[in-house]
Amino acid sequence: MSAVRTVLGDVPAEQLGMCDAHDHLFFGSPRLPGQELRDVSAARAELAAFRALGGAAVVQWTPYGLGRRAADLPPLSRDTGVHVVAATGLHQAVHYDEETLGGLRGRLAEVFVAELTDGIGASGVRAGLVKVAGGFHALDAHARWTMTAAAEAHHATGAPIAVHLELGTAALDVLDLLCGELGVPPHRVVLGHLNRSPDPVVHRQAARAGCYLAFDGPSRAHHATDWRMPDAVRALAEAGFGDRLLLGGDTTTAAARSVNGGPGMPYLLRRVAPRLAVELGEDLVGRVLTENPRRAFAANWR
């Protein structure tokens, strides 16, 4: 049976509810010193604020080695009533030291599969997706290594693969590798950050391939994420790809949380969804927030 693998167990896809398809409760990278998401109380408050606006599910894209705090996710989900999906996977090489990467050589796919099926470390929490990352307009050796392992994990488990596109670029290179060379079905791939490179031709090509397109990141400055997104999303909907669209907040710093004065998770439902409803109509926006994530993140788990 098709189910979404949450931190509290597998949930029938139709029970997922209103979903933030790309966000972070916990995250820490040496590239963002002093801005880590580590506070459990703040994470709980953020989830509660999201829930108060009708939010029912959050997909956390924090991968291996970047402060997932997997053991803290189940009680947060129980306390707030919000489904939480955790990730395995690996980000760009710049987020890790050489010792960490060296320890994963020759066994990366094995680690991904174990975290999807047995659990993350000693937490017992199973990941529900694999998150990997491309580079700026290209895929380096690290990206090819991680995506090859992600494809192996998908073939072993059925897990969806979510991809960080650096500034929204290299979408077609990712699809050529994952779906072309490595045989991952396009509908098992979610491309993130497409709002950061508002190229309508590339967007249509990616959607036509059959993958999901995530427009995320209103918590970010300097990416024109809010004012360009309605046009990009409307163009895809008018071209017949409304069923390929996903929306997320991608909160990656403590300052961006709503409980700390930023937009945070609630902004997706408080401002982004109503703004898009003006362009697309409430019915389509509702389906983008509910039906599309059910299909994107559910799997027939093996």
Side-chain angles (χ1 to χ4, degrees):
M1 185 180 72
S2 181
V4 177
R5 181 151 290 176
T6 79
V7 299
L8 295 179
D10 291 355
V11 172
E14 60 272 17
Q15 295 181 15
L16 196 62
M18 197 88 70
C19 182
D20 178 343
H22 178 185
D23 225 312
H24 300 272
L25 290 166
F26 301 110
F27 182 80
S29 167
R31 296 196 71 189
L32 297 168
Q35 300 184 60
E36 296 84 357
L37 294 175
R38 291 177 176 166
D39 190 317
V40 176
S41 296
R44 181 180 293 106
E46 193 75 355
L47 275 180
F50 179 67
R51 179 65 174 169
L53 292 176
V58 171
V59 182
Q60 170 165 275
W61 286 30
T62 308
Y64 181 98
L66 295 183
R68 290 172 291 184
R69 300 189 68 126
D72 290 315
L73 295 176
L76 287 174
S77 179
R78 291 191 196 96
D79 291 348
T80 61
V82 177
H83 296 299
V84 176
V85 179
T88 185
L90 210 65
H91 211 325
Q92 296 164 326
V94 294
H95 292 279
Y96 303 95
D97 57 41
E98 283 303 317
E99 182 179 358
T100 298
L101 294 179
L104 294 169
R105 298 292 176 191
R107 66 183 193 98
L108 191 59
E110 178 184 341
V111 170
F112 293 171
V113 170
E115 294 196 335
L116 290 161
T117 57
D118 299 328
I120 298 169
S123 71
V125 172
R126 294 187 295 178
L129 73 154
V130 185
K131 184 261 185 70
V132 288
F136 185 57
H137 287 292
L139 302 182
D140 61 11
H142 177 88
R144 294 187 66 88
W145 172 52
T146 59
M147 290 183 192
T148 299
E152 291 182 37
H154 161 77
H155 291 307
T157 67
I161 299 173
V163 185
H164 164 100
L165 298 179
E166 185 66 17
L167 296 178
T169 66
L172 302 183
D173 296 279
V174 168
L175 294 179
D176 285 347
L177 176 58
L178 282 177
C179 305
E181 296 181 35
L182 300 174
V184 177
H187 73 279
R188 297 286 69 204
V189 176
V190 178
L191 299 179
H193 305 318
L194 284 163
N195 44 298
R196 301 183 190 179
S197 181
D199 184 328
V201 176
V202 171
H203 289 181
R204 285 195 302 273
Q205 288 176 298
R208 195 175 295 119
C211 66
Y212 287 91
L213 282 65
F215 289 79
D216 43 45
S219 66
R220 303 299 189 90
H222 312 306
H223 290 316
T225 54
D226 288 350
W227 67 268
R228 285 182 170 174
M229 184 164 62
D231 288 340
V233 170
R234 185 184 67 246
L236 285 165
E238 290 176 348
F241 299 119
D243 62 341
R244 301 286 94 192
L245 302 172
L246 298 170
L247 297 172
D250 191 29
T251 309
T252 57
T253 66
R257 278 183 163 153
S258 67
V259 295
N260 293 328
M265 291 179 183
Y267 190 77
L268 182 67
L269 302 180
R270 186 173 65 86
R271 291 297 183 210
V272 174
R275 172 67 183 86
L276 290 177
V278 173
E279 299 288 330
L280 307 178
E282 291 185 5
D283 179 66
L284 179 55
V285 173
R287 285 188 279 122
V288 169
L289 288 167
T290 55
E291 296 177 16
N292 293 2
R294 293 173 192 168
R295 294 193 306 274
F297 297 109
N300 294 314
W301 293 95
R302 298 188 288 277

